Amino acid sequence: MKLKAFLPLVTHPDPNSDAVAAHAVAVARQFGADLHVLVVNVDIPPVSNALSDLLLDLPNKIRQAEEQSRARGAHLLDRVEHQASAAGVPLSTEEVSAGPAFLYEKAATSARYFDLDLVGWEKGNPTSRTLAEAVIFGAGRPTILLPEHCDIGTLKHVAIAWDGSRVAARAVADAQPLLARCEAVSVITVIDEKPLAELDAGERLADGLRKRGLQAEATRIKAGDAPVGVTLQEQAIQLGAGLLVMGGYGHSRVRDFILGGATEAVLDDLRLPVLLSH
């Protein structure tokens, strides 16, 4: 079955850089996926207040913000179309508008209709961070975070962060279509971060993957004083993996998310493409 990948681009207030276009197309090409791009531009309700019109010139500022949003959306869409055409990736696109409070919700709900979500991540860009959280925890679909300053190399070697938990198992299940296309799998278990129900959990998963025809090996490591999310990423890179698969911990609190340690560390310091599943 051919995969359908989804790339949301929220263009306000801090849109993605051009890197997201090349990264998303590179991932779609390697997994043989069709790519659908949704550009979400901002539509700011008018403010009718004589004082604000006179002193703050709000109507003009609103118009400028909307024009900048649409212009940036059109530019990013052009970059994706150029990259997809060059790579031979089937592409479909759409543009929508939403109020400032609903930009991320629109992206998350639209993401539910695809097999795989791709989200550009940029350090210091709050829009990309908020979009990532909204899609990871609101779409119900596996999401690959694409770091801006990282070449998307071969994704034939995939690492799995494994602790035997329900969310880790969900992540492995969601990643099955991608694992079926890879050549090697490394199962990484951090043994000093928290008590594990089974000390051989990583080997058990690797053994199960081997019985399914995958080339899988288990690795046990210690995080020490380093954040576990950073340790997992560094180990994946050291093993030669191009993608890390892990479960995303989090629960809603009036639309905010309290993140588990590993998830938060990944979102704070993304070092390679990471598939998060919640």
Side-chain angles (χ1 to χ4, degrees):
M1 182 179 71
K2 192 163 189 178
L3 295 175
K4 302 291 184 181
F6 174 73
L7 173 66
L9 297 171
V10 172
T11 63
H12 177 84
D14 302 293
N16 284 117
S17 70
D18 291 2
V20 69
H23 292 348
V25 169
V27 171
R29 179 182 59 81
Q30 292 201 50
F31 289 129
D34 291 352
L35 180 63
H36 182 80
V37 181
L38 172 69
V39 175
V40 186
N41 298 319
V42 71
D43 183 9
I44 304 174
V47 177
S48 67
N49 181 301
L51 185 59
S52 67
D53 292 354
L54 179 63
L55 299 181
L56 301 177
D57 193 20
L58 280 183
N60 185 52
K61 291 180 178 178
I62 289 173
R63 184 175 65 255
Q64 290 178 352
E66 291 178 339
E67 289 176 351
Q68 290 173 357
S69 174
R70 291 193 296 270
R72 188 57 187 166
H75 172 78
L76 286 173
L77 199 55
D78 178 73
R79 297 310 304 157
V80 177
E81 290 173 342
H82 175 76
Q83 294 285 344
S85 177
V89 172
L91 179 72
S92 57
T93 65
E94 64 176 312
E95 291 187 67
V96 298
S97 297
F102 302 101
L103 295 169
Y104 309 104
E105 182 177 351
K106 179 62 178 177
T109 54
S110 297
R112 295 170 185 166
Y113 296 92
F114 298 87
D115 302 308
L116 179 68
D117 301 328
L118 308 174
V119 175
W121 180 96
E122 297 164 17
K123 194 174 182 64
N125 183 338
T127 298
S128 70
R129 169 69 181 249
T130 305
L131 176 61
E133 292 181 5
V135 174
I136 292 166
F137 297 107
R141 309 301 299 147
T143 301
I144 295 182
L145 302 182
L146 305 171
E148 177 186 16
H149 299 297
C150 175
D151 291 332
I152 305 298
T154 178
L155 302 180
K156 294 297 186 180
H157 186 169
V158 175
I160 297 172
W162 183 255
D163 60 2
S165 65
R166 182 197 65 80
V167 291
R170 180 70 265 166
V172 173
D174 284 342
Q176 285 296 325
L178 309 186
L179 295 176
R181 291 168 167 82
C182 74
E183 297 175 354
V185 180
S186 295
V187 180
I188 305 172
T189 300
V190 178
I191 61 175
D192 64 341
E193 188 247 343
K194 62 184 177 182
L196 299 173
E198 299 175 306
L199 293 179
D200 65 342
E203 182 53 45
R204 287 190 63 185
L205 177 63
D207 183 60
L209 294 174
R210 286 193 292 268
K211 290 177 179 177
R212 292 172 175 81
L214 298 175
Q215 298 296 318
E217 298 293 336
T219 302
R220 298 171 64 185
I221 62 172
K222 292 183 178 181
D225 296 329
V228 66
V230 172
T231 300
L232 287 165
Q233 292 184 82
E234 286 299 308
Q235 182 65 26
I237 293 171
Q238 183 177 333
L239 291 170
L243 174 70
L244 173 64
V245 172
M246 61 186 294
Y249 293 83
H251 64 272
S252 62
R253 186 188 63 180
V254 194
R255 298 297 297 168
D256 290 328
F257 295 102
I258 301 174
L259 304 175
T263 309
E264 185 172 17
V266 166
L267 290 174
D268 285 343
D269 188 4
L270 190 67
R271 304 187 179 195
L272 80 163
V274 174
L275 183 150
L276 280 165
S277 174
H278 176 69

